Structure formats: C-alpha cells, structure tokens
Amino acid sequence: MTTTTDIIELSERHSAHNYHPLPVVVREARGAWVTDVEGRRYLDCLAGYSSLNFGHGNQAILGAAQEQLQRLTLTSRAFFHDRFADFCAGLAALCGKDMVLPMNTGAEAVETAIKVARKWGYEVKGVTPDHAEIIVMDGNFHGRTTTIVSFSTDPDARDGFGPATPGFTVVEYGSAEAIRAAITPDTVAVLLEPIQGEAGVLVPPPGYLRQVREICTEHNVLLVADEIQSGLGRTGDTFACQHEGVVPDMYVLGKALGGGVVPVSAVVADADVLGVIKPGQHGSTFGGNPLACAVGSAVIGLLNTGEYQARARELGALLHERLRALMGHGVIAVRGRGLWAGVDIDPSIATGRQVCEALMRHGVLAKDTHGSTIRLAPPLVVSEEDLNWAVDRLTEVLEELSAALPAGSPELAGR
Ligand SMILES: Cc1ncc(COP(=O)(O)O)c(C=O)c1O
C-alpha cells in the first residue's frame, strides 16, 4: 500500500469523514518541506495549523524527545517527575505568570480555562453559584468539545450537537463596546482569540485588545486569551496580545507548545486565578507527562532566544508586502500579522479550495477556510527564498485559474 490513490481510498473507507483533506499523502518532512509517498515535494504553508512553528524535524525538539523517550515517558500526575518543574517554571516565566496547568490538546486547555474562570467567579468574585457567564466572540474557534461548540457561531461546528452548554454570551468580534454592553454582575470572563485564525485570520481593529483589557479590569472580569494558534512566535512576538502591550489574566496555549511532536497544551495564570483549582477538581492522565514536558521545555528554550519571533516579524513583512501586490490580481483582501496571512480570493475566479488544490499541484500546501479564504502560515524556519517561491506559485495559480475562465468573465481584465 504505497500509492496516493490506494491510501486515500482505504482512509476514506475506514475513517470518519470529519475532515476534507487535500489529496496528498505525506510520508516525511524536514524544515518547511514535506515529501509525499510518490516522492513529490511540497512547501508546507499550513504548518499543522501553526503547530510546526519551529519546523518539521527541528533538531533541538527531536533531540529532547529522543533523550526523554529512552528514559521516562509517563508517570501520570499521581507522582512528580523530574521534567515537570522546569517545564512549568519555564512556561510561567515565558508568560510572566505564576502557575501552569498542563493539558494535551487545545480544546482541553480551553475547557480548563472555562472551568477555572467559573470557579474563580464563584470563589473570588462572589458570583451566585451556577450563574457564571462568559462573553465569547462571533466567529470564534476554540475547539470541538460539546461545551466549546455550544458557543460556536459556525453552524457546521455547532448544529446537531445540542443541547448546548449554557453560560455563554456571544458578541461582535472587534467591538469593545459590545463587550461592555454584555457585561453583567455574573460575568466572569471574556474569552477571545487576539487574532481569529479559523475565521480567516481576522485581526481586530487597533486598540481593541487594549480597550478589552481596560473593560475587564474595570469590571473585575478575567481576560482569557486563546493564543493556541496566534501564540508562540507566529505573529512576530511571543504572544499576539503583546502587539498591543496587553497582558491577559489567562493564556491558553497549545499547538506549537508540543513542537509538532506531541500534543501539549496549558493554561497559564497567576496564583490568585489558577489557585482556585484544588486536588481532584481537574486533571488529565497525560497532561504534563515527562515526554510532553521535555518537548515543551525545548520549545520554551527556542522561544527564549527570540530568533523565531524575529523571523516571523521580518519574513512576515515580506509575505504581506508580496501578498498585497496580488490585490486586484485575483486577491481581494489580505489580513494577518507576522508569518500568518488570510488571503481572500476573488470568488469570480475560484473558490479557496480550488486555489489550494492548484497550489498543491504546484508544490505548495495550504488550506482554505470559509469558502474563499486561503491561509498561509509556513513554519517560521522557512527561508526567504522559499517564501518568495510560494508567493510566485500563488501568483501563477491565480493567473492560470483566471485564464481558464470563459471569455468575457468580469475577472482580472483591466484590473
Ligand atoms: C484558537 C484555537 N483554539 C483552540 C483550538 C483547538 O485546538 P485542538 O485542535 O488542539 O483541540 C484551535 C485549533 O485550531 C485554535 O485555533
């Protein structure tokens, strides 16, 4: 079983169809490049939805994992292990906070943040038991658990999975006033993505995060930043909140924290917040395991050099400049920050899916979202030359797709 067709056919037969992958079967990868089972190479411009910020096969991360694999992989939290303290202390320091609660997947970390916020609301803020409310954003994406999809505004994510968990109020993303208007005495937290990734890399208006921070402080409401996708170097800073000088009360982290090797997530906050969780009230068999901590510590070490943030900043400026030059040439909008871009394709030319399929044939892997948007988020180790090459391929694809339109279509001509 080695051909792309055979593997896809067997996968489709024996796995739930909860994704709609591009028809490529990856076999190995290094840095920003992956190779499929037939030996074709592609530049990875998705990076596992930003889980591979440090590249495929990063030697510092692999070295830490391999060393740990030989020694100790799991204890459960029934015992301490010798990698736990360093990981938690290192991550707390990276975030400028006191404490870490390690989990595995992003959704688990978001669930953790919700539980912590509610408990903090009852025990510290004095909210009436079972009345806690959390303000969330229109267009949010925080994961796939039943509670999280309860407040999704995407019908595909939400519909058919009810009854919904109560206690969430959805407001417009980007409007601080909408948050202010939605706050009640029972509000315990505002949960937001500093940049909405799955919604199409939506960057809120300048000043928004700062205003939200002020409103939360004023009303004794926790600001919870889901930096699972935006954090850990992607936007050119360690956290996307830093671009506005904002420090949330809780960071929710995942994806790149596991270095593209193992699922590692965490909630990071000060002791007056995370301290509300007592033995028996929350946990995970695998959360904070030795392998995860070894990999997570290696990731923290890479971030502490500042090199990856700088690369995202510098190469991100190049990426955005080049993408903006495609406006009017098949692209109608470009958003994002650092090495992270949402590119809206002119729907008269092609869908996002069609562009991604064509990019794949040209050796670039990217993924569409919401019909006409494609997302570009290569590993932060991508070279300038490769990044330029990827944008050249996108340019080519847009030209090809527009040339294939029937004569007289109101697309690129003259623009
Ligand atoms: C902002 C954000 N939060 C949470 C999640 C969920 O993470 P996971 O898929 O690891 O559960 C994602 C995944 O895309 C995300 O982008």
Side-chain angles (χ1 to χ4, degrees):
M1 167 84 39
T2 49
T3 73
T4 297
T5 315
D6 289 348
I7 294 170
I8 291 177
E9 198 275 323
L10 193 65
S11 304
E12 292 290 294
R13 198 151 15 109
H14 293 294
S15 71
H17 296 173
N18 54 330
Y19 282 90
H20 182 30
L22 289 173
V24 56
V25 181
V26 177
R27 203 175 76 91
E28 56 192 42
R30 267 291 174 278
W33 287 86
V34 306
T35 308
D36 75 6
V37 285
E38 269 117 15
R40 288 180 291 251
R41 295 181 79 230
Y42 307 83
L43 187 66
D44 181 358
C45 285
L46 183 68
Y49 297 95
S50 291
S51 299
L52 288 151
N53 283 1
F54 312 99
H56 294 272
N58 182 294
Q59 285 307 307
I61 295 171
L62 281 193
Q66 275 157 352
E67 194 272 330
Q68 193 60 42
L69 274 171
Q70 300 299 326
R71 201 153 55 76
L72 177 72
T73 51
L74 189 69
T75 56
S76 85
R77 294 285 308 280
F79 317 119
F80 287 92
H81 62 76
D82 70 343
R83 305 307 306 250
F84 189 70
D86 277 352
F87 169 66
C88 294
L91 187 57
L94 186 77
C95 299
K97 299 284 183 193
D98 299 334
M99 284 182 167
V100 170
L101 201 169
M103 297 296 283
N104 310 284
T105 64
E108 282 178 305
V110 172
E111 287 276 351
T112 304
I114 291 168
K115 285 178 70 177
V116 170
R118 286 179 169 183
K119 202 144 193 301
W120 173 88
Y122 302 131
E123 293 183 3
V124 180
K125 184 167 175 171
V127 170
T128 310
D130 294 341
H131 278 62
E133 287 167 12
I134 296 178
I135 296 174
V136 296
M137 302 303 135
D138 189 23
N140 70 72
F141 186 85
H142 298 287
R144 300 294 194 172
T145 63
T146 43
T147 285
I148 293 172
V149 301
S150 294
F151 59 84
S152 171
T153 55
D154 175 356
D156 282 342
R158 187 196 60 227
D159 292 355
F161 301 112
T165 305
F168 299 94
T169 306
V170 180
V171 302
E172 183 193 343
Y173 185 61
S175 165
E177 283 318 306
I179 292 177
R180 190 189 292 284
I183 287 181
T184 73
D186 292 333
T187 305
V188 296
V190 170
L191 167 64
L192 55 75
E193 298 153 83
I195 293 176
Q196 286 191 332
E198 298 308 291
V201 197
L202 299 188
V203 183
Y208 171 69
L209 294 175
R210 238 185 348 261
Q211 280 174 281
V212 177
R213 173 67 278 178
E214 281 164 20
I215 293 168
C216 287
T217 304
E218 188 186 326
H219 293 273
N220 194 24
V221 164
L222 298 176
L223 175 55
V224 182
D226 179 345
E227 293 251 18
I228 287 169
Q229 196 165 160
S230 60
L232 308 184
R234 173 57 57 191
T235 64
D237 250 321
T238 306
F239 302 110
C241 283
Q242 280 174 279
H243 293 282
E244 293 219 348
V246 162
V247 179
D249 298 294
M250 257 194 275
Y251 287 101
V252 190
L253 304 174
K255 293 197 193 282
L257 193 56
V261 177
V262 280
V264 185
S265 67
V267 163
V268 189
D270 277 333
D272 59 339
V273 175
L274 215 37
V276 299
I277 297 290
K278 299 288 184 304
Q281 295 173 347
H282 194 60
S284 157
T285 304
F286 290 93
N289 69 71
L291 183 60
C293 289
V295 166
S297 293
V299 164
I300 294 161
L302 295 176
L303 286 167
N304 281 335
T305 67
E307 285 168 30
Y308 295 86
Q309 296 90 323
R311 285 190 75 78
R313 231 173 6 251
E314 286 152 23
L315 292 175
L318 171 78
L319 175 67
H320 285 277
E321 187 190 316
R322 290 231 32 213
L323 290 173
R324 276 196 301 272
L326 293 178
M327 301 255 294
H329 300 276
V331 167
I332 55 175
V334 179
R335 296 173 299 274
R337 183 162 268 158
L339 262 180
W340 197 17
V343 182
D344 289 346
I345 304 298
D346 184 341
S348 68
I349 291 174
T351 63
R353 174 80 185 187
Q354 286 168 326
V355 171
C356 289
E357 285 174 354
L359 278 172
M360 187 193 83
R361 290 192 292 274
H362 284 72
V364 174
L365 295 183
K367 199 69 174 71
D368 55 301
T369 182
H370 294 285
S372 59
T373 301
I374 62 167
R375 280 171 298 180
L376 297 176
L380 309 182
V381 297
V382 70
S383 70
E384 184 175 331
E385 191 188 352
D386 287 346
L387 194 62
N388 274 315
W389 182 84
V391 183
D392 289 344
R393 300 290 76 72
L394 176 61
T395 312
E396 222 166 71
V397 159
L398 292 172
E399 279 166 6
E400 275 175 23
L401 288 168
S402 97
L405 292 171
S409 296
E411 77 314 335
L412 297 174
R415 278 193 273 161

